[in-house]
Amino acid sequence: MSADPVRFGIVGSGWRSEFFVRLARALPGRLAVTGVVTRSAARGAEVEAGWGVPAFRTVEELTAASPAPEFVIPSVPWSQTGPVTARLVALGVPVLAETPPAADLAGLREVWRETGGSGLVQVAEQYPLMPGHAARRAVAGEGVIGEVTSVQLSSTHLYHAVSLIRHLLGIGFEPATVTARSFSAPLADPLTKDGWSGDLTPKDAATTLALLDFGGRTGLYDFTDNQWWNPLRARRMVVRGSLGEIVDDTVVRMADPRTPVASPLVRRQTGTDLNLEGRELHHIAFDGRVVYRNAYPGAGFSEDDLAVVDLLCRTGAWVRGEGPEPYPLAEGCQDHLIGLAITESARTGQPVTTAREPWAG
């Protein structure tokens, strides 16, 4: 990518916005925040003092400022993502819309009608870029386990999970029949995004199970409330193929017609014992070769940070004409379409089959 840092602006000043600012501050040679749009002058003053970036009241002020952002991230409530995206597109500004790109199906259709033909909108879906998922996708994409036929995922929720399932299965915009159920059971919830609660009292938590039938290829979705944070609920993934499977970080396949073998996906994680390189992931290897490499060594990023930074840099390369689209709006719409079907099926107890929507082309 070009040597100058990628410049981007943000609409909204919530915790996700601060996430983007923090990452840009950690990589000043690669990323720069040109400003943040806040709803009030008082919040703008807090942002300028706490985050060290200019604050604006409107997207017009943000995009007209110097230096101008090369793209803008609407990091606002779901109901506002579509309208803010449309305003930015009307100004001719590339957009990296937060997930999901609209709140509901009507909103998805509206944002596609207003902006889909512009070629200016990408979606901030980082999960396929997370190191472990990227490594599994690389191994599966090489045909090591043959044709991928099913994915079982218990990790993240709705559109994020759907994105992983679709990309591992190689699913585009094919209709999906979704059969989902939700169950409640007591579970302690000691950790949330706000920190440790100190409370181990079990409270009812919902678990949603869903079968996604893509007509021969299937996904199994399993998510419990706050599974992202709760240390009492692990994350699991099974990718099954015609010649083997990947179970979390283990790849099983045949070495020859009589010899099944298992090989691990091995992380090189520094900063342990006497290693003084700093605590971070350097690469993931499979059978002695690297299938994922940290492109931002020295920053000490978590794996989620690595995925988001990679998405920001890929978006910068795209707006400069130096790389492909990182995650087109149509993909984000399809992810949320199926996520909405999971929610609807769990609510009604009836199967839901998605239709072919306008963004499918």
Side-chain angles (χ1 to χ4, degrees):
M1 192 167 60
S2 302
D4 293 338
V6 172
R7 305 182 311 277
F8 66 94
I10 305 169
V11 180
S13 58
W15 76 279
R16 283 293 295 174
S17 297
E18 187 173 12
F19 193 100
F20 293 119
V21 173
R22 173 179 59 82
L23 296 179
R25 187 182 299 125
L27 283 182
R30 304 286 293 269
L31 300 168
V33 179
T34 64
V36 175
V37 176
T38 65
R39 298 212 294 186
S40 69
R43 179 55 180 159
E46 292 175 355
V47 164
E48 290 183 338
W51 298 1
V53 297
F56 302 93
R57 296 291 79 71
T58 68
V59 295
E60 288 79 8
E61 292 175 359
L62 170 69
T63 57
S66 180
E70 295 175 82
F71 65 90
V72 173
I73 303 173
S75 188
V76 293
W78 289 8
S79 61
Q80 295 303 307
T81 301
V84 173
T85 296
R87 285 173 62 193
L88 289 163
V89 167
L91 294 170
V93 178
V95 176
L96 180 63
E98 266 280 28
T99 54
D104 52 24
L105 181 54
L108 291 176
R109 290 169 175 165
E110 179 69 9
V111 74
W112 181 260
R113 184 185 68 79
E114 293 192 352
T115 71
S118 69
L120 290 174
V121 185
Q122 303 294 309
V123 175
E125 179 53 73
Q126 83 271 24
Y127 273 77
L129 298 176
M130 292 185 73
H133 297 318
R136 295 181 195 100
R137 290 176 61 209
V139 171
E142 293 172 357
V144 172
I145 61 170
E147 178 188 356
V148 176
T149 54
S150 74
V151 175
Q152 302 173 18
L153 180 66
S154 181
S155 174
T156 187
H157 74 302
L158 297 175
Y159 42 87
H160 290 315
V162 171
S163 174
L164 290 170
I165 291 169
R166 288 179 56 237
H167 283 82
L168 281 160
L169 287 174
I171 294 293
F173 303 99
E174 296 90 328
T177 298
V178 177
T179 306
R181 297 292 185 275
S182 185
F183 309 89
S184 289
L187 174 66
D189 194 20
L191 179 65
T192 70
K193 71 180 180 66
D194 297 321
W196 292 95
S197 68
D199 183 7
L200 292 180
T201 305
K203 303 178 181 66
D204 278 350
T207 294
T208 300
L209 305 175
L211 176 66
L212 316 181
D213 183 352
F214 296 100
R217 288 170 288 178
T218 59
L220 181 63
Y221 169 88
D222 177 352
F223 183 75
T224 298
D225 289 347
N226 195 39
Q227 189 169 340
W228 320 279
W229 294 89
N230 195 329
L232 303 177
R233 288 295 179 266
R235 283 156 290 283
R236 306 182 305 281
M237 175 176 277
V238 178
V239 184
R240 288 186 163 163
S242 57
L243 296 174
E245 67 178 11
I246 304 170
V247 181
D248 295 330
D249 289 338
T250 301
V251 183
V252 178
R253 76 280 188 209
M254 301 297 290
D256 60 52
R258 292 178 175 267
T259 312
V261 295
S263 301
L265 293 169
V266 181
R267 284 169 162 78
R268 181 171 189 267
Q269 189 84 39
T270 57
T272 301
D273 194 21
L274 294 181
N275 183 282
L276 304 180
E277 294 179 69
R279 188 162 186 80
E280 65 181 355
L281 174 69
H282 278 243
H283 65 253
I284 301 176
F286 169 70
D287 272 2
R289 57 190 178 81
V290 173
V291 291
Y292 170 86
R293 189 182 300 278
N294 180 356
Y296 312 94
F301 286 143
S302 69
E303 295 195 11
D304 189 58
D305 285 350
L306 285 172
V308 176
V309 161
D310 199 16
L311 180 64
L312 291 171
C313 290
R314 287 171 184 248
T315 305
W318 164 67
V319 299
R320 294 177 178 184
E322 299 172 3
E325 296 179 285
Y327 207 89
L329 175 60
E331 297 283 339
C333 288
Q334 189 70 12
D335 293 337
H336 194 37
L337 172 71
I338 297 173
L340 291 168
I342 293 173
T343 301
E344 179 66 9
S345 179
R347 184 185 68 82
T348 64
Q350 299 298 315
V352 175
T353 299
T354 62
R356 191 169 180 86
E357 295 291 338
W359 55 80

